[in-house]
Amino acid sequence: MRQLNRLNQFQRLWQPSSGAPQQITVAELAERCFCSERHVRTLLRQAQDAGWLTWQAQSGRGKRGTLTFQVTPEALRNDMMEQALTQGQQQNALELAQLNAPELRALLHPFLGGQWQNNTPTLRIPYYRPLDSLHPGFLPGRAEQHLAGQIFSGLTRFGTESDEPIGDLAHHWEVSPDGLRWHFYIRSTLHWHNGDPVDTAQLHRRLEMLLALPALRKLFASVEQIEVTHAQCLTFTLTKPDFWLAHRLASYCSVLAHPDNVTLGTGPFRLKIFEPELVRLESHNRYHLSHPLLQAIEFWITPQLFEQDLGTSCRHPVQIAIGEPDELRKLRLVSDSISLGFCYLTLRKSSCLTAAQAQKIIALIHHSSLMETLPLDENLITPTHELLPGWDIPVTQDAPEVAFPSALTLVYHLPVELHTMAEQLRLALEKLGCKLTLLFHDAKTWDGCEALASADLMMGDRLIGEAPEYTLEQWLRCDSLWAQVLSDEQYAELKQTLDTVQSQKQPLARHAALKHVFQELMENAVLTPLFNYQYKISAPPGVNGIRLNARGWFEFTEAWLPASSAS
């Protein structure tokens, strides 16, 4: 980047004297800037024309001239960044932002949150980590799952008023009386983000590609074939009834990218920039449903802003905006809720851990102050009292006659709060004569975890988006965890039970049957939830339409900025 190179060269000139006037030769300056004497003269002339310094040369080779500085590198960097931000050159600004956290925070304040930039309503979100690529299929991160739903569309989608799916790319669907033939009727006015019309055959190709993925093959195990039975109709033929099918197609993992370009979708926002420092979405003006009220959404990947000494956690931040310095005190909580998703413990029965001992460990967790005393940030988590609303955790009584095992192994993955939970459990069991060995799998899922095959206890995080009952069914069907926790016979029985559950046509009957499955897992000490997160979104004045959704994010299509925010 040219501006950053000019700034770096200026710093090389300025640094030896910390800005004091210098008596120096052109040859010495060229050596300091790692360039030729001819090039350093050009640099000096350009810097002088810009008002950064003055250079008074002395005639004669080897004579010392006088170099006087008019600005500091810090002031120059700030001016360059402000100019880049004002001109909408976000990447240039972030490349220039090689500042420590307080300086960066002070400089970025006026440009984060909601802004009308060049008559374009834009929402800028500071984020604490780079985003993973939005590849088709399952995505481990909450932010990535949410983005997939903003950029891509599925045949169906989850609405805001009900957990039952509604039409998306398909305006409606029909199911045969036996539940084995599903006809999805495709809208005729669909367009990809590049402006090309959507062909039903393209959707068919992408669906076939999705079903070739092992995890998605598990999810759609009942699908025998997909056909284009009409120019605007896709027909699914099943081997057994599956009344979760419309839910499966509405899940973020089933959204449909262009078959020849995985970044091209049909959702309300198109992906304009996807870089480690910046992700930019722009509204899709040919979107087939209600158009977004914002023109652009930007994720500014600025982990420096989330350092602990600044008072913001980088663990689960859903801080969507930072206002101007004099507005920070007005930053308001606009939405909060306790997540339906939860961190959990699963227990494998073996010669090392009996059913009675597993029950004793669960009783230790839920009937002691273990979770209430976790040294975590205030209001970050809350102990789980029910798996889902109305799905109570069975009361497990301690059995004094049952001894704890002498040694156990626990493997756990992210989020980082499970570091604390694992250590607290280790200390609690150590006091009771049980040595707990901790193994950390540095990921958000169990994929590639070799320790999973031999561990006695496993702790992880179960994200739940829309349609919580369906999400839990998807977890049992697709997560590699269950094939390891359960014996071969138990796992085969679980899959058969899930097939029976999905054949229930009425939603209430399916939900009740699935609740019974989880009730048995909890009663048999195979699974117990630990705690939920408390999702929060704060925004400065002038950012409206923020409504927390099930993933702890907000619907980008509903956010808006009033005209009074224009600058």
Side-chain angles (χ1 to χ4, degrees):
M1 174 188 163
R2 185 180 177 187
Q3 288 287 76
L4 183 58
N5 290 336
R6 293 180 69 191
L7 176 63
N8 289 336
Q9 292 288 45
F10 182 79
Q11 284 183 305
R12 293 189 181 101
L13 296 174
W14 185 90
Q15 191 169 12
S17 66
S18 298
Q22 300 175 17
Q23 301 295 318
I24 193 168
T25 67
V26 170
E28 289 170 336
L29 290 174
E31 183 178 358
R32 184 185 300 171
C33 293
F34 308 105
C35 62
S36 66
E37 292 184 20
R38 179 179 178 181
H39 186 62
V40 85
R41 288 190 178 94
T42 301
L43 289 176
L44 291 170
R45 184 177 66 254
Q46 291 175 342
Q48 184 161 279
D49 291 343
W52 302 350
L53 54 78
T54 56
W55 167 247
Q56 294 178 326
Q58 296 290 333
S59 59
R61 186 171 180 81
K63 295 290 186 178
R64 294 185 177 275
T66 302
L67 184 62
T68 306
F69 297 93
Q70 308 299 326
V71 297
T72 66
E74 290 76 14
L76 181 57
R77 184 194 305 275
N78 290 0
D79 288 343
M80 286 181 170
M81 278 193 64
E82 185 167 352
Q83 183 179 9
L85 289 166
T86 302
Q87 295 174 352
Q89 300 170 349
Q90 298 87 347
Q91 285 178 296
N92 289 353
L94 289 172
E95 287 182 18
L96 283 163
Q98 299 174 354
L99 302 172
N100 60 39
E103 292 171 325
L104 180 61
R105 175 177 288 263
L107 185 60
L108 292 184
H109 276 153
F111 299 96
L112 294 175
Q115 295 284 323
W116 281 76
Q117 189 70 50
N118 298 326
N119 292 322
T120 298
T122 302
L123 186 64
R124 296 189 175 111
I125 304 169
Y127 206 59
Y128 72 105
R129 63 170 175 85
L131 295 170
D132 297 328
S133 63
L134 304 178
H135 58 77
F138 287 109
L139 298 166
R142 212 165 26 95
E144 287 82 358
Q145 292 177 13
H146 179 65
L147 278 176
Q150 304 299 307
I151 298 169
F152 306 102
S153 305
L155 291 185
T156 58
R157 66 187 181 95
F158 293 115
T160 58
E161 304 301 325
S162 170
D163 290 333
E164 292 301 302
I166 58 178
D168 195 348
L169 296 176
H171 53 83
H172 77 285
W173 62 93
E174 295 175 348
V175 186
S176 63
D178 61 5
L180 297 179
R181 298 270 290 179
W182 292 61
H183 305 284
F184 291 87
Y185 298 98
I186 309 302
R187 299 178 191 270
S188 59
T189 56
L190 301 174
H191 288 83
W192 298 107
H193 289 155
N194 63 0
D196 292 345
V198 172
D199 189 288
T200 305
Q202 294 173 317
L203 303 180
H204 177 256
R205 282 175 57 204
R206 174 52 71 184
L207 281 165
E208 294 283 3
M209 294 164 74
L210 280 177
L211 266 61
L213 301 173
L216 271 293
R217 187 62 253 171
K218 289 182 182 179
L219 185 64
F220 292 96
S222 301
V223 176
E224 183 177 35
Q225 68 174 354
I226 308 173
E227 303 171 272
V228 180
T229 50
H230 182 272
Q232 301 300 137
C233 182
L234 282 169
T235 297
F236 287 67
T237 302
L238 311 185
T239 57
K240 58 179 76 71
D242 181 7
F243 289 97
W244 293 117
L245 181 61
H247 294 73
R248 303 193 197 285
L249 292 169
S251 176
Y252 79 90
C253 61
S254 304
V255 293
L256 301 177
H258 192 288
D260 300 320
N261 184 347
V262 296
T263 67
L264 203 61
T266 57
F269 289 90
R270 63 189 180 97
L271 189 61
K272 179 67 173 179
I273 300 172
F274 197 95
E275 300 291 343
E277 301 84 14
L278 177 69
V279 174
R280 179 179 170 90
L281 312 182
E282 295 181 354
S283 64
H284 176 30
N285 59 11
R286 305 195 75 171
Y287 182 49
H288 53 279
L289 299 175
S290 297
H291 284 206
L293 301 173
L294 290 172
Q295 185 67 29
I297 305 265
E298 293 176 353
F299 284 71
W300 288 23
I301 313 303
T302 50
Q304 351 23 347
L305 292 182
F306 295 90
E307 293 181 2
Q308 291 298 311
D309 59 358
L310 293 178
T312 47
S313 169
C314 69
R315 300 173 185 175
H316 293 274
V318 197
Q319 181 182 4
I320 66 151
I322 299 176
E324 304 230 13
D326 60 353
E327 289 184 345
L328 283 181
R329 58 185 177 83
K330 301 178 184 178
L331 197 70
R332 72 201 195 285
L333 180 68
V334 294
S335 191
D336 68 336
S337 69
I338 295 176
S339 68
L340 288 177
F342 49 83
C343 286
Y344 62 85
L345 174 71
T346 55
L347 307 94
R348 187 207 317 273
K349 312 309 184 331
S350 67
S351 57
C352 297
L353 183 67
T354 67
Q357 290 171 328
Q359 293 280 11
K360 191 174 180 71
I361 291 174
I362 292 175
L364 170 68
I365 290 172
H366 289 295
H367 299 300
S368 70
S369 59
L370 182 65
M371 282 188 288
E372 285 80 357
T373 58
L374 289 178
L376 296 172
D377 291 350
E378 185 179 1
N379 297 326
L380 177 64
I381 67 170
T382 183
T384 303
H385 299 295
E386 49 187 3
L387 191 71
L388 289 180
W391 293 25
D392 294 336
I393 301 173
V395 177
T396 304
Q397 301 297 335
D398 187 22
E401 71 279 5
V402 176
F404 284 103
S406 60
L408 291 171
T409 299
L410 166 68
V411 61
Y412 64 99
H413 63 60
L414 293 169
V416 295
E417 285 75 26
L418 290 182
H419 286 308
T420 305
M421 182 68 200
E423 179 61 19
Q424 292 294 100
L425 184 58
R426 185 190 70 80
L427 293 173
L429 287 175
E430 184 178 61
K431 293 178 182 178
L432 299 169
C434 176
K435 179 182 178 182
L436 184 63
T437 299
L438 305 181
L439 303 174
F440 174 55
H441 177 55
D442 190 7
K444 297 174 185 175
T445 69
W446 294 114
D447 294 346
C449 180
E450 297 179 359
L452 190 62
S454 57
D456 305 297
L457 310 174
M458 305 86 167
M459 286 198 310
D461 183 26
R462 179 67 255 163
L463 294 175
I464 291 183
E466 306 87 349
E469 293 87 359
Y470 162 70
T471 304
L472 288 180
E473 193 274 353
Q474 177 179 290
W475 182 33
L476 291 181
R477 186 174 288 280
C478 299
D479 199 313
S480 58
L481 169 73
W482 300 105
Q484 300 293 341
V485 171
L486 303 173
S487 67
D488 292 343
E489 182 180 353
Q490 290 171 327
Y491 187 55
E493 182 180 351
L494 173 65
K495 291 192 291 184
Q496 185 176 358
T497 301
L498 294 178
D499 289 345
T500 302
V501 171
Q502 75 179 31
S503 68
Q504 299 285 335
K505 185 175 183 178
Q506 297 303 318
L508 291 179
R510 283 200 310 277
H511 297 173
L514 187 67
K515 177 181 177 181
H516 180 70
V517 173
F518 276 94
Q519 206 70 25
E520 285 195 336
L521 289 173
M522 291 189 290
E523 289 175 355
N524 294 330
V526 175
L527 165 72
T528 190
L530 300 173
F531 54 81
N532 304 81
Y533 288 106
Q534 297 197 21
Y535 290 149
K536 296 183 179 182
I537 294 182
S538 299
V543 180
N544 300 290
I546 303 298
R547 179 179 57 83
L548 193 68
N549 64 20
R551 297 187 190 279
W553 279 89
F554 64 97
E555 296 304 320
F556 289 171
T557 55
E558 297 177 5
W560 60 280
L561 305 176
S564 59
S565 297
S567 58

